[in-house]
């Protein structure tokens, strides 16, 4: 075209996702959390990848992650796959919050050396989220002294010890912390400190999750929804107007997602 730009169009004649893909193991055990996470496959068979921390050299911003979907659409399984990938990396610490399902979701991760806290009580979850303000402040101060504008692979605390990326995974966030202002502050200010959120819930509506939190979720992984609920999937209105329709399979094809 006039601007020298090129477009690519992939035509998929068969549904590569109709037969479930087995998950075998993490894609890169021992690698850095700064490297790509492999979450599955796209419809055309290409790998579905996610990067969580930013990379200034590549002009890539860091991200928080929002996972949405109705019951039995595959949301919780996807969360476990994502956590398995994350926990296989050497420079990350993960805290888990699930005050609704309790041990059902978090049990598989108990005792993992990369797990910091596992929180299943509502009051404990609220105290933890409130405490993220202090954690972010401590980390940004250390990064500033070291000359880092954001968490970067190999960055350290002021005493020279390695600073891991800190990830907070919140299951069924609507039940306890989704509308806390402290969660909004963490979503807005945590990324530069290497504090990232993964928030999972069925419907991303204001009654469940503050708008200020939703707006900071640059990565959205949306599974099947009920018809009429696609606008609560976390997908942008632009994507929905272009044809994104997670309601078309509801929970009939667990694992299908945008």
């Amino acid at each position: 075209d006039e601007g020298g730009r090129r477009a690519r169009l992939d035509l998929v004649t068969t549904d590569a996702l109709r037969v479930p893909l087995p998950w075998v193991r993490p894609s890169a055990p021992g690698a850095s959390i700064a490297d790509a996470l492999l979450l599955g496959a796209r419809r055309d068979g290409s790998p579905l990848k996610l990067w969580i921390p930013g990379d200034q050299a590549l002009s890539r911003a860091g991200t928080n992650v929002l996972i949405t979907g109705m019951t039995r659409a595959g949301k919780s399984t996807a969360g476990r796959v994502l956590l398995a990938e994350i926990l296989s990396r050497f420079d990350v610490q993960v805290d888990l919050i699930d005050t609704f399902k309790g041990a059902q979701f978090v049990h598989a991760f108990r005792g993992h050396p990369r797990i910091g806290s596992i929180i299943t009580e509502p009051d404990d979850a609220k105290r933890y989220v409130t405490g993220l303000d202090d954690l972010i402040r401590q980390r940004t101060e250390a990064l500033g002294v070291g000359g880092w504008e954001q968490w970067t692979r190999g960055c350290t605390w002021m005493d020279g010890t390695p600073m891991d990326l800190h990830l907070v995974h919140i299951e069924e966030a609507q039940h306890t912390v989704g509308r806390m202002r402290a969660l909004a502050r963490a979503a807005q200010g945590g990324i530069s400190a290497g504090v990232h959120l993964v928030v999972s819930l069925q419907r991303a509506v204001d009654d469940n999750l503050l708008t200020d939190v939703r707006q900071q979720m640059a990565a959205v992984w949306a599974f099947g929804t009920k018809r009429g609920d696609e606008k609560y999937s976390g997908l942008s209105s632009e994507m929905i107007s272009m044809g994104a329709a997670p309601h078309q399979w509801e929970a009939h094809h667990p694992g299908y997602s945008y």
Side-chain angles (χ1 to χ4, degrees), residues 138-217:
Q138 293 166 8
R139 292 172 65 95
T140 52
E141 181 178 355
L143 290 170
V145 169
W148 289 286
E149 294 185 8
Q150 63 180 13
W151 186 91
T152 304
R153 184 190 332 222
C155 64
T156 65
W157 292 95
M158 285 182 280
D159 63 1
T161 58
M163 179 188 288
D164 292 337
L165 183 135
H166 194 107
L167 186 133
V168 184
H169 184 113
I170 307 172
E171 275 290 305
E172 304 294 351
Q174 72 274 14
H175 290 287
T176 309
V177 302
R179 290 191 52 77
M180 290 183 64
R181 296 304 310 173
L183 186 65
R185 292 194 298 272
Q188 292 164 347
I191 288 178
S192 63
V195 177
H196 295 255
L197 305 178
V198 175
V199 177
S200 177
L201 74 173
Q202 292 194 15
R203 301 167 75 242
V205 297
D206 194 51
D207 287 346
N208 294 340
L209 191 67
L210 287 175
T211 300
D212 286 347
V213 178
R214 297 200 308 272
Q215 290 176 340
Q216 300 300 319
M217 298 288 151

Side-chain angles (χ1 to χ4, degrees), residues 52-233:
I52 290 181
D55 189 322
Q56 289 180 303
L58 299 176
S59 298
R60 186 183 69 233
T63 188
N64 297 309
V65 182
L66 176 65
I67 306 176
T68 64
M70 63 186 296
T71 301
R72 296 187 297 277
K75 172 171 58 68
S76 293
T77 298
R80 292 186 182 97
V81 170
L82 174 58
L83 277 170
E85 275 284 290
I86 290 169
L87 291 169
S88 71
R89 307 307 171 91
F90 76 89
D91 50 359
V92 63
Q93 176 180 315
V94 177
D95 292 334
L96 292 178
I97 299 175
D98 189 343
T99 63
F100 183 64
K101 297 178 183 176
Q104 186 180 41
F105 181 85
V106 304
H107 176 73
F109 303 103
R110 290 190 186 277
H112 193 286
R114 289 283 156 195
I115 291 288
S117 300
I118 291 180
I119 301 167
T120 58
E121 294 298 324
D123 288 344
D124 293 339
K126 292 175 182 177
R127 280 191 290 270
Y128 174 89
V129 170
T130 300
L132 289 175
D133 286 336
D134 289 337
L135 176 65
I136 291 169
R137 191 177 303 111
Q138 293 166 8
R139 292 172 65 95
T140 52
E141 181 178 355
L143 290 170
V145 169
W148 289 286
E149 294 185 8
Q150 63 180 13
W151 186 91
T152 304
R153 184 190 332 222
C155 64
T156 65
W157 292 95
M158 285 182 280
D159 63 1
T161 58
M163 179 188 288
D164 292 337
L165 183 135
H166 194 107
L167 186 133
V168 184
H169 184 113
I170 307 172
E171 275 290 305
E172 304 294 351
Q174 72 274 14
H175 290 287
T176 309
V177 302
R179 290 191 52 77
M180 290 183 64
R181 296 304 310 173
L183 186 65
R185 292 194 298 272
Q188 292 164 347
I191 288 178
S192 63
V195 177
H196 295 255
L197 305 178
V198 175
V199 177
S200 177
L201 74 173
Q202 292 194 15
R203 301 167 75 242
V205 297
D206 194 51
D207 287 346
N208 294 340
L209 191 67
L210 287 175
T211 300
D212 286 347
V213 178
R214 297 200 308 272
Q215 290 176 340
Q216 300 300 319
M217 298 288 151
V220 177
W221 200 2
F223 291 80
T225 66
K226 292 181 179 179
R227 184 168 296 277
D229 276 1
E230 60 272 15
K231 58 183 175 293
Y232 306 131
S233 64

